[in-house]
Amino acid sequence: MSLIATGFLRSTSGARFLGSFMLKDSQYIVAGSFASSVPAFKSSAAILTYDKEESLSGTKAVDGVVGSDKVTLQFSNGSKIEGKLDFPISPAASVCGAGFFTQT
């Protein structure tokens, strides 16, 4: 069964991204980078789907799509971040890279 946490995901520079999600009483941060730059983006209402909380730690490979009106990132641990972009970007870009999950 998949579990869900809400939060945000945004770009921090051309190829870097940052997200924050609340799970129960804990905050989880995912920070990472794509292999190539993408236009600036932000999803203020992103959803993290995961199978178990223990999987949200360490570095995970990521593939996905940013644009035109949503972002979807699929991580190698089976978790996924999806969200409607606050502002559309065009054209959509396929991305790959890595993200690092930490609990604060």
Side-chain angles (χ1 to χ4, degrees):
M1 176 172 69
S2 292
L3 304 168
I4 293 174
T6 58
F8 73 85
L9 181 72
R10 64 178 174 88
S11 59
T12 59
S13 70
R16 297 188 180 276
F17 64 90
L18 176 71
S20 175
F21 298 88
M22 289 302 297
L23 285 67
K24 302 176 192 159
D25 293 328
S26 300
Q27 181 182 29
Y28 281 80
I29 303 292
V30 59
S33 60
F34 302 127
S36 57
S37 294
V38 296
F41 69 90
K42 182 177 182 183
S43 176
S44 297
I47 296 174
L48 168 64
T49 306
Y50 62 101
D51 288 326
K52 54 186 175 181
E53 203 168 327
E54 296 78 27
S55 68
L56 300 178
S57 66
T59 302
K60 311 297 181 205
V62 63
D63 297 273
V65 177
V66 178
S68 62
D69 64 347
K70 66 180 180 175
V71 58
T72 303
L73 300 181
Q74 180 72 51
F75 293 87
S76 59
N77 62 355
S79 61
K80 182 191 280 190
I81 297 174
E82 296 179 288
K84 182 174 175 21
L85 294 176
D86 293 0
F87 301 99
I89 59 172
S90 185
S94 294
V95 295
C96 64
F100 185 78
F101 286 88
T102 56
Q103 180 182 4
T104 60

